[in-house]
Amino acid sequence: MSQGRLSEATLTTLPSAIARPAFDRAATRIGIVHLGAGAFHRAHQAVYFDDALALDPDWAVCAVSLRSPDVRDALRPQDGLYTLAILGQTPQLRVIGALREVLCARDEAAAVLARLADPAVRLVTLTVTEKGYCLAGDGLDLSHPDIVHDLATPDAPVSAIGHVVAGLARRRAAGLAPYTVLSCDNLADNGVRLRRAVLAFAERIDPALAAWIDAEVAFPRSMVDSITPATDDALRTRVADALGLDDAWPVQREPYTQWVVEDCFCNGRPPLDQVGVILSDDIAGFDRAKLRLLNGPHSALAYLGLLRGIETVADAMRHPGLAAFVARLMREDIAPTLSVPAALDLDAYIDAILARFRNPAIAHRLAQVAWDGSQKLPVRLLGTLRDAQAAGRSIDRLCLPIAAWMHFVRRQAQAGVALVDPMADTLAKIGQEATGDAQGDVARFLALREVFADVAEAPTIVDAIERGYAALYQRAETAIESEAAR
Ligand code: CS2
């Protein structure tokens, strides 16, 4: 890389085809702290905030990584600027200017806490992934090491929950209004769960603070959607060529993007309704439909596709057996479990998701979707499975991706490949001990109550997973195709 670097100073040299911030960055104020400065935030919420800043300068973003300094180190020399590649039929590049500050909490703790206590900050948003909420079942996992740490030293938090509470405690002590806390992660009822976790934490360090949070702080629910493959060298090169400048960490996503937010904020909000966000009083139907119909099938494609040696979502959709399987899974097994808002046309929604999965312009790695299976399966597939079983419908197709996850874990463990999963050590042990005997192997996985809860107590489900596991063990191809054709 020998050319110049993207920054405020080089912004004016960009070719005219590259869109750039439509507002005066210097005139903006930081009004949002975002926890979890990963690619999804930068390709999704930050883009809506970038649009909103053209209408109201009060909502620039301070993006915080809780642990890794990588985003801070990449973006600070670029004054927070980075490129978004929107990859559809006609690719588009756009430089995003919404991030005015990028911090790493691990080594800039005081700056993060000061920002959370800044009266100009009125909104805290989060993308910390499922595991970042430190939940066990429906509530806060009080035995989680990060929570144990933060309860012992609430002024020096490491977890997202600890940060949210530490900031609120400072504001209350200073007589300031609180901020709204907005979860943007793929969890059903994300705001409700976050609120419960925050209150449980606050209750243990200061019941009066908990009562204040309970009365004053809003935790809207939200549904976020845009397929965002991890940044790779191909993207870095494409961006550098088009900009004539290096960008240490561009991000990419598909053209489709959706954000539905419950309209309850306790301290003002950006003009989200004017930049394409759907504000609604009842978003429960939207988030369930998205989790079950997009994320569930995504995970199914990941585990079944990886067993077949396929690398990307689009390639999995080119495999006739897998494509047919996933379409039937969506239409016949998942859709009937949903009660959706009148505004949502389920057939059209399913067609659109299948078309998005087929998008040949993005290389979305199945291995990326496969991360954190222990956290994703419960919210994406197990609820559907329980509902289908309770309604007396067939559950065989729904059990096949679950069996495929077990095989995926077994294969990685036996090949000595580390899993990306907060339960990696436990899973590796189960995977190594697996012998191929369906009953024994499946029983060891189902004993993970944190993942499967009461599923192991439903004999028909156990039986269907065992049959799926045995069929996949013998021949993945035949198992997928016969389920697709049933
Ligand atoms: C994917 C999601 O990686 C995954 O697990 O299922 O990140 C998915 O691409 C997004 O939720 C789409 O909105």
Side-chain angles (χ1 to χ4, degrees):
M1 294 205 230
S2 58
Q3 48 191 13
R5 179 99 175 248
L6 175 65
S7 72
E8 195 68 59
T10 56
L11 204 49
T12 49
T13 70
L14 288 180
S16 58
I18 314 283
R20 63 198 81 182
F23 53 90
D24 174 8
R25 294 185 84 218
T28 63
R29 280 207 303 174
I30 291 177
I32 300 168
V33 172
H34 180 81
L35 302 180
F40 187 73
H41 167 67
R42 294 194 285 124
H44 187 273
Q45 302 99 60
V47 183
Y48 290 96
F49 295 145
D50 201 69
D51 287 337
L53 281 164
L55 305 170
D56 182 343
D58 280 354
W59 300 98
V61 179
C62 163
V64 178
S65 309
L66 291 175
R67 276 155 216 260
S68 163
D70 295 353
V71 176
R72 190 257 333 257
D73 292 349
L75 297 193
R76 197 173 282 171
Q78 301 181 180
D79 304 314
L81 295 167
Y82 62 92
T83 314
L84 168 70
I86 301 177
L87 302 179
Q89 265 178 351
T90 325
Q92 289 171 322
L93 296 181
R94 166 173 173 182
V95 172
I96 303 297
L99 272 48
R100 290 295 315 274
E101 183 173 58
V102 188
L103 298 173
C104 168
R106 194 190 295 224
D107 36 63
E108 294 162 305
V112 173
L113 292 175
R115 196 46 95 184
L116 287 167
D118 177 349
V121 167
R122 291 184 286 151
L123 174 61
V124 170
T125 52
L126 294 90
T127 50
V128 292
T129 78
E130 298 85 346
K131 61 178 176 274
Y133 291 84
C134 305
L135 301 175
D138 269 349
L140 184 65
D141 179 1
L142 292 167
S143 63
H144 191 291
D146 291 352
I147 298 301
V148 172
H149 171 279
D150 289 1
L151 285 172
T153 52
D155 290 329
V158 294
S159 71
I161 303 292
H163 277 92
V164 167
V165 175
L168 287 169
R170 277 173 171 65
R171 296 176 81 100
R172 176 166 171 264
L176 294 174
Y179 39 69
T180 299
V181 190
L182 175 56
S183 167
C184 304
D185 278 294
N186 283 323
L187 288 168
D189 299 329
N190 49 15
V192 177
R193 289 185 196 216
L194 175 57
R195 178 174 196 277
R196 209 181 290 138
V198 164
L199 286 175
F201 185 97
E203 187 64 46
R204 274 168 183 77
I205 55 168
D206 178 358
L209 172 65
W212 181 76
I213 295 174
D214 191 20
E216 305 290 334
V217 182
F219 294 84
R221 291 183 289 191
S222 82
M223 182 272 256
V224 292
D225 192 5
S226 192
I227 292 174
T228 308
T231 300
D232 50 19
D233 285 342
L235 178 67
R236 284 197 185 85
T237 308
R238 173 183 205 146
V239 166
D241 289 349
L243 267 59
L245 294 170
D246 292 330
D247 178 346
W249 206 330
V251 294
Q252 57 186 339
R253 68 150 215 237
E254 62 174 336
Y256 183 93
T257 177
Q258 191 176 39
W259 194 8
V260 188
V261 180
E262 199 173 16
D263 196 4
C264 68
F265 288 73
C266 59
N267 195 353
R269 63 162 169 78
L272 297 173
D273 49 330
Q274 294 174 53
V275 295
V277 178
I278 301 173
L279 290 169
S280 161
D281 290 335
D282 175 21
I283 80 139
F286 284 98
D287 66 353
R288 236 171 220 90
K290 191 264 170 168
L291 276 169
R292 290 190 176 192
L293 280 172
L294 187 146
N295 297 110
H298 232 180
S299 291
L301 286 172
Y303 300 121
L304 289 165
L306 288 168
L307 282 187
R308 296 279 308 109
I310 298 171
E311 283 190 14
T312 69
V313 176
D315 285 347
M317 292 299 291
R318 275 192 276 271
H319 181 282
L322 264 177
F325 174 84
V326 88
R328 289 197 70 181
L329 185 75
M330 291 164 80
R331 290 190 213 286
E332 294 175 35
D333 304 307
I334 303 175
T337 69
L338 293 166
S339 59
V340 290
L344 195 66
D345 173 344
L346 262 196
D347 285 332
Y349 190 62
I350 292 172
D351 288 343
I353 291 171
L354 289 168
R356 292 167 61 197
F357 286 171
R358 287 192 293 264
N359 180 357
I362 54 176
H364 194 196
R365 311 224 147 266
L366 295 176
Q368 180 189 342
V369 182
W371 290 347
D372 291 349
S374 70
Q375 313 291 301
K376 290 175 175 174
L377 287 185
V379 284
R380 297 178 171 203
L381 283 165
L382 297 181
T384 311
L385 178 58
R386 282 195 194 90
D387 289 353
Q389 195 228 12
R393 278 195 296 273
S394 158
I395 53 168
D396 287 358
R397 251 189 313 266
L398 283 165
C399 286
L400 200 63
I402 296 164
W405 173 69
M406 296 173 178
H407 276 296
F408 166 76
V409 170
R410 176 184 66 81
R411 293 214 325 195
Q412 301 291 96
Q414 296 185 354
V417 179
L419 285 166
V420 180
D421 195 298
M423 293 180 69
D425 292 345
T426 312
L427 293 174
K429 194 157 176 293
I430 297 176
Q432 272 150 14
E433 284 166 1
T435 60
D437 162 58
Q439 246 183 350
D441 291 359
V442 168
R444 269 191 287 271
F445 279 106
L446 291 182
L448 293 167
R449 287 206 64 97
E450 310 89 310
V451 181
F452 291 101
D454 54 357
V455 159
E457 287 151 28
T460 49
I461 298 185
V462 177
D463 183 57
I465 298 177
E466 283 172 3
R467 274 185 283 112
Y469 188 90
L472 288 170
Y473 194 69
Q474 278 144 17
R475 205 160 165 256
E477 185 78 2
T478 324
I480 296 164
E481 262 152 25
S482 69
E483 279 306 331
R486 264 154 89 93

